[in-house]
Amino acid sequence: MSVISDSQNLREKLVGYRRFFHIHPEIGMKEFETSMYIKEKLVQLGQEYKEYAVTGITVRINGTKGQGKTLLIRADIDALPLQEKNDVPYKSQTNGMMHACGHDTHAAILLGVVEILNARRNEFSGSVLLVFQPGEEGFSGASKMIAEGAVGDIATPTHDAAIALHATPAPVGTIGSKEGHMTSAADQITIRVKGKEDMGVGLTCL
Ligand SMILES: [Zn+2]
């Protein structure tokens, strides 16, 4: 069995997780129900976890092949203050809040990663630190978790490398990657694009 077939076998379950998160969106640092749901799933997997910054969660999975490096995998879990206009069975049930950035997908994916790595811990050395991060949308959730020691001392973190992903409305089966930093935002800029006519298009780069 490959990791790919493991993932395919989890498809239905992960779609269920994603839809739960989508139905129950919560904005930055108030992801109480979201966090509770994640913890519930971790308990079902027999997985221990730690909590930081109230709604943040970390899970460490140690490989049984011996000592080694630590890889951090992070997913953000917060929604946005937007009204959902889609008419789907899993439409947001919270007025004025919506998972419009895909963090519902990220959280569901990370739960899938926990399940697969947990089942395959005898196949790798070192460990994987999985981080469910609250408050990505302007609430400094990562800083708050770091300040509480989620990844050790900032100068000497407990991990050797970190990765994350972000969903994008590209065709299914398409991915993009880049070495180094990607989709990080320490600041926001607004630009005005002028064509033949000034359409007044404002782009916010996040
Ligand atoms: Zn996002």
Side-chain angles (χ1 to χ4, degrees):
M1 287 272 282
S2 68
V3 170
I4 290 175
S5 58
D6 285 358
S7 309
Q8 286 162 344
N9 291 339
L10 286 177
R11 181 190 165 92
E12 207 173 311
K13 190 191 263 190
L14 298 190
V15 168
Y17 295 167
R18 207 286 290 188
R19 292 188 176 178
F20 177 89
F21 295 132
H22 196 86
I23 289 168
H24 305 284
E26 297 171 299
I27 58 167
M29 309 315 295
K30 293 194 171 128
E31 307 90 342
F32 305 116
E33 204 177 348
T34 305
S35 185
M36 192 66 76
Y37 186 82
I38 292 167
K39 287 182 276 186
E40 203 180 284
K41 297 301 164 198
L42 293 172
V43 168
Q44 284 171 11
L45 290 170
Q47 192 65 57
E48 288 181 11
Y49 58 83
K50 290 185 178 174
E51 296 173 79
Y52 298 92
V54 184
T55 49
I57 302 162
T58 66
V59 175
R60 184 177 288 275
I61 299 177
N62 295 316
T64 60
K65 280 186 130 179
Q67 302 262 313
K69 296 197 172 182
T70 298
L71 174 67
L72 183 154
I73 308 178
R74 165 275 202 185
D76 36 17
I77 63 172
D78 56 327
L80 283 161
L82 292 171
Q83 186 64 37
E84 171 130 47
K85 291 185 177 170
N86 297 319
D87 189 15
V88 286
Y90 48 88
K91 181 177 177 174
S92 167
Q93 288 178 3
T94 308
N95 211 24
M97 289 186 206
M98 179 191 177
H99 269 291
C101 198
H103 300 183
D104 47 350
T105 310
H106 303 168
I109 289 171
L110 200 60
L111 278 173
V113 173
V114 170
E115 186 160 349
I116 290 172
L117 289 180
N118 195 29
R120 290 178 173 266
R121 59 171 70 213
N122 61 347
E123 295 176 28
F124 61 93
S125 57
S127 64
V128 183
L129 181 65
L130 303 111
V131 179
F132 294 88
Q133 181 211 311
E136 188 274 340
E137 301 284 2
F139 292 86
S140 306
S143 301
K144 289 179 175 125
M145 288 189 79
I146 290 168
E148 291 189 13
V151 296
D153 189 318
I154 190 66
T156 51
T158 53
H159 56 281
D160 298 284
I163 55 170
L165 63 73
H166 203 296
T168 181
V172 171
T174 307
I175 62 164
S177 69
K178 174 180 172 292
E179 192 178 339
H181 298 275
M182 191 172 178
T183 70
S184 62
D187 204 351
Q188 295 185 9
I189 57 165
T190 300
I191 61 169
R192 179 172 291 267
V193 179
K194 286 189 177 181
K196 283 184 181 172
E197 256 178 74
D198 180 2
M199 303 293 284
V201 180
L203 297 179
T204 301
C205 185
L206 292 173

